[in-house]
Amino acid sequence: MKWTEDLATGVTQIDDQHKELIERVNQLLAACSEGRGKEEVGRTLNFLSDYIVFHFGTEEKYMTQYDYPGYNSHKAQHTGFIKEFTDLKGKFETEGPTLEV
């Protein structure tokens, strides 16, 4: 994945966080292509466990601060993503680094 300016929100803090997420995804993809995916997936999931809560909190703070009209919809997307992520992480913890994970 590559950061491009069309992904920019115009909020430096949010854009920097998105760049960090892209970098982590790229690290995981590189590890997978080098045969190290099983080792890296656990590290990536651990990073994301904390980071998505932090990142979504930052986004939601800005959305409420600036009365973003799509706040409720975007917040619902965050909630859904966190649930899906939690389910995926649980699967990883019980089944290990499967192809599905």
Side-chain angles (χ1 to χ4, degrees):
M1 295 181 71
K2 184 177 178 185
W3 174 263
T4 57
E5 284 306 310
D6 63 314
L7 299 172
T9 65
V11 179
T12 302
Q13 186 177 16
I14 299 295
D15 290 341
D16 288 347
Q17 290 177 10
H18 287 163
K19 289 174 186 176
E20 176 68 19
L21 289 169
I22 289 171
E23 178 61 29
R24 295 296 180 125
V25 167
N26 286 336
Q27 287 174 9
L28 176 59
L29 293 173
C32 289
S33 71
E34 296 166 3
R36 299 180 297 107
K38 287 184 178 183
E39 296 84 26
E40 190 65 28
V41 73
R43 284 190 285 274
T44 302
L45 289 173
N46 286 334
F47 163 76
L48 288 173
S49 287
D50 296 327
Y51 200 78
I52 60 173
V53 172
F54 166 72
H55 174 66
F56 289 166
T58 302
E59 281 191 351
E60 291 166 12
K61 177 189 80 165
Y62 278 109
M63 287 189 286
T64 55
Q65 181 179 347
Y66 294 104
D67 294 321
Y68 177 66
Y71 173 80
N72 290 331
S73 173
H74 205 87
K75 169 83 170 145
Q77 289 177 347
H78 286 172
T79 301
F81 183 90
I82 289 170
K83 183 189 179 326
E84 287 180 29
F85 175 79
T86 302
D87 293 346
L88 180 70
K89 189 162 189 262
K91 206 170 226 183
F92 173 77
E93 290 168 355
T94 58
E95 300 175 17
T98 63
L99 187 56
E100 182 182 357
V101 173

